[in-house]
């Protein structure tokens, strides 16, 4: 494929995985403030399924994917700080990462550190920055606190467990299978509860001496909302950051009072990475955790870009473990 040609995945209408189409396109020269980025690895994330399904409405037709790593192939007018040959990575908010190459705003890029491979950057950047803001700037977790992590063997879940343990928290994880329980324990979880075998909230209360956890990190959504409500202690916080089982709706404020004056937040990554200073500081902290060994990213699956439909099917069926990358 020539340097100005790209294979990309996109949607014309919202729907299931079969709504995704593939096509070859010719890219124009990068415009002012843009670079052409040739992708070497692409991250697969649950937010991509929300864009595809319409849960998070986007303008159509649209490319999909927000996370990728690669190299700068061409530079548009006015771009400062990037030159041809630079290794770069991005976690959005621009969509269109499901492609072999694309033109992208230089302001959306970060330089990939020399000690981080392209595959690792594509597997870690979005999830790692998500964990950084969730733990350190949203929930302000402190050493010694008891924390609940739902879906503790997922891409974000495994990183949450590791980050929380690195800063000295006590971690209780929930998972769907015994295999995933082993992964969560290997990541550092102090206790792991398997859905369906044990009731989550009673177990959490027992493990915390009846007090409950200070924070519940809940990326599952509808199916775990009740467990989070019953697991968090007085004046505790539920961080509902995802909708893997569907969105949480009909939150009753009186219920928060009855459960112990609870706090709830539904945070969005880009409200915590709004400006260049926040992007640089947050990503630097994440790469620091990777470099120190406190954070180890497991790439559980690799799919060719042409198998993107199957990748979405497997992700939504919770068949994936750890992070998943697409190879253009």
């Amino acid at each position: 494929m020539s340097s100005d040609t790209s294979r990309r995945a996109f949607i014309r209408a919202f729907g299931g995985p079969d709504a995704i189409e593939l096509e070859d396109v010719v890219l124009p020269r990068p415009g002012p403030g843009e670079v052409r980025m040739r992708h070497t690895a692409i991250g697969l994330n649950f937010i991509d399924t929300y864009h595809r399904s319409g849960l998070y409405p986007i303008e159509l037709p649209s490319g999909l994917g927000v996370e990728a790593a690669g190299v700068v192939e061409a530079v548009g007018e006015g771009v400062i700080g990037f030159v041809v040959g630079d290794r770069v990575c991005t976690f959005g908010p621009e969509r269109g990462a499901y492609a072999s190459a694309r033109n992208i705003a230089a302001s959306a890029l970060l330089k990939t550190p020399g000690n981080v491979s392209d595959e690792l950057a594509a597997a870690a950047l979005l999830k790692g920055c998500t964990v950084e803001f969730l733990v350190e700037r949203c929930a302000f977790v402190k050493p010694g606190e008891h924390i609940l992590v739902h879906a503790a063997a997922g891409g974000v879940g495994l990183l949450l467990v590791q980050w929380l343990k690195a800063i000295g928290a006590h971690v209780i994880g929930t998972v769907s299978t015994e295999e995933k329980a082993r992964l969560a324990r290997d990541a550092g979880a102090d206790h792991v509860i398997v859905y369906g075998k044990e009731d989550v909230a009673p177990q959490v209360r027992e493990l915390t001496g009846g007090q409950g956890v200070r924070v519940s990190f809940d990326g599952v959504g509808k199916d775990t909302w009740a467990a989070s409500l019953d697991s968090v202690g007085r004046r505790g916080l539920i961080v509902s950051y995802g909708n893997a089982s569907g969105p949480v709706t009909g939150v009753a404020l009186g219920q928060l009072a009855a459960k112990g004056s609870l706090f709830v937040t539904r945070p969005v990554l880009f409200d915590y990475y709004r400006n260049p200073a926040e992007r640089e500081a947050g990503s630097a902290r994440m790469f620091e955790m990777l470099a120190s060994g406190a954070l180890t990213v497991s790439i559980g699956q690799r799919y060719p870009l042409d198998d993107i439909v199957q990748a979405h099917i497997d992700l939504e069926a919770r068949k994936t473990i750890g992070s998943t990358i697409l190879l253009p």
Side-chain angles (χ1 to χ4, degrees):
M1 188 173 288
S2 66
S3 62
D4 62 350
T5 304
S6 174
R7 186 149 179 82
R8 72 166 191 140
F10 71 104
I11 56 171
R12 301 179 197 271
F14 299 124
D18 59 359
I20 303 173
E21 302 179 45
L22 288 154
E23 67 175 359
D24 294 328
V25 296
V26 176
L27 298 173
R29 287 283 306 171
E34 291 184 334
V35 307
R36 178 175 299 158
M37 178 182 177
R38 176 69 54 180
H39 295 161
T40 53
I42 302 161
L44 180 73
N45 296 283
F46 243 104
I47 193 172
D48 305 343
T49 71
Y50 304 156
H51 292 150
R52 187 210 71 224
S53 69
L55 180 63
Y56 291 177
I58 57 176
E59 187 175 341
L60 298 175
S62 176
L64 291 174
V66 295
E67 181 180 38
V71 62
V72 174
E73 282 194 332
V75 177
E77 182 183 350
V79 170
I80 298 173
F82 296 98
V83 298
V84 172
D86 279 348
R87 295 176 60 234
V88 292
C89 52
T90 181
F91 59 97
E94 293 186 36
R95 292 177 303 281
Y98 291 1
S100 57
R102 61 173 163 158
N103 294 337
I104 183 172
S107 59
L109 298 179
L110 298 164
K111 289 189 177 179
T112 305
N115 60 354
V116 176
S117 70
D118 288 358
E119 284 199 358
L120 181 57
L125 186 60
L126 179 66
K127 298 178 185 69
C129 289
T130 297
V131 170
E132 180 275 322
F133 95 79
L134 287 176
V135 173
E136 304 210 341
R137 293 187 286 134
C138 177
F140 297 101
V141 177
K142 298 180 177 60
E145 293 181 329
H146 285 89
I147 309 295
L148 178 62
V149 177
H150 288 291
V156 173
L158 286 171
L159 297 184
L160 270 170
V161 171
Q162 293 177 70
W163 198 299
L164 290 164
K165 289 305 298 178
I167 64 173
H170 299 290
V171 181
I172 303 171
T174 66
V175 297
S176 58
T177 68
E178 290 293 346
E179 179 187 6
K180 291 185 176 183
R182 177 183 58 79
L183 291 170
R185 292 189 189 97
D186 289 347
D190 298 286
H191 304 279
V192 182
I193 301 167
V194 179
Y195 302 125
K197 289 194 173 183
E198 304 169 281
D199 288 335
V200 172
Q203 274 292 102
V204 169
R205 292 287 174 174
E206 182 176 340
L207 291 167
T208 58
Q211 297 301 305
V213 294
R214 213 276 290 175
V215 181
S216 173
F217 288 108
D218 193 341
V220 177
K222 177 172 63 69
D223 289 353
T224 49
W225 173 247
S228 287
L229 280 173
D230 289 336
S231 296
V232 174
R234 195 177 307 276
R235 300 204 307 268
L237 171 66
I238 299 173
V239 180
S240 180
Y241 68 89
N243 315 281
S245 66
V248 176
T249 59
V251 177
L253 295 183
Q255 195 173 36
L256 301 180
K259 297 293 184 180
S261 300
L262 304 186
F263 295 86
V264 176
T265 183
R266 180 59 178 89
V268 176
L269 172 70
F270 293 108
D271 284 334
Y272 288 80
Y273 281 78
R274 284 193 62 81
N275 57 56
E278 288 179 339
R279 289 171 69 91
E280 290 293 335
S283 61
R285 172 68 170 140
M286 190 277 294
F287 282 130
E288 173 189 291
M289 291 288 276
L290 277 177
S292 72
L295 218 55
T296 301
V297 177
S298 168
I299 300 175
Q301 303 74 214
R302 293 173 175 84
Y303 296 84
L305 178 59
D306 280 0
D307 290 346
I308 184 58
V309 171
Q310 188 61 51
H312 270 235
I313 291 171
D314 292 348
L315 181 64
E316 291 185 304
R318 300 192 193 182
K319 291 182 179 179
T320 63
I321 293 173
S323 295
T324 301
I325 60 170
L326 308 170
L327 300 174

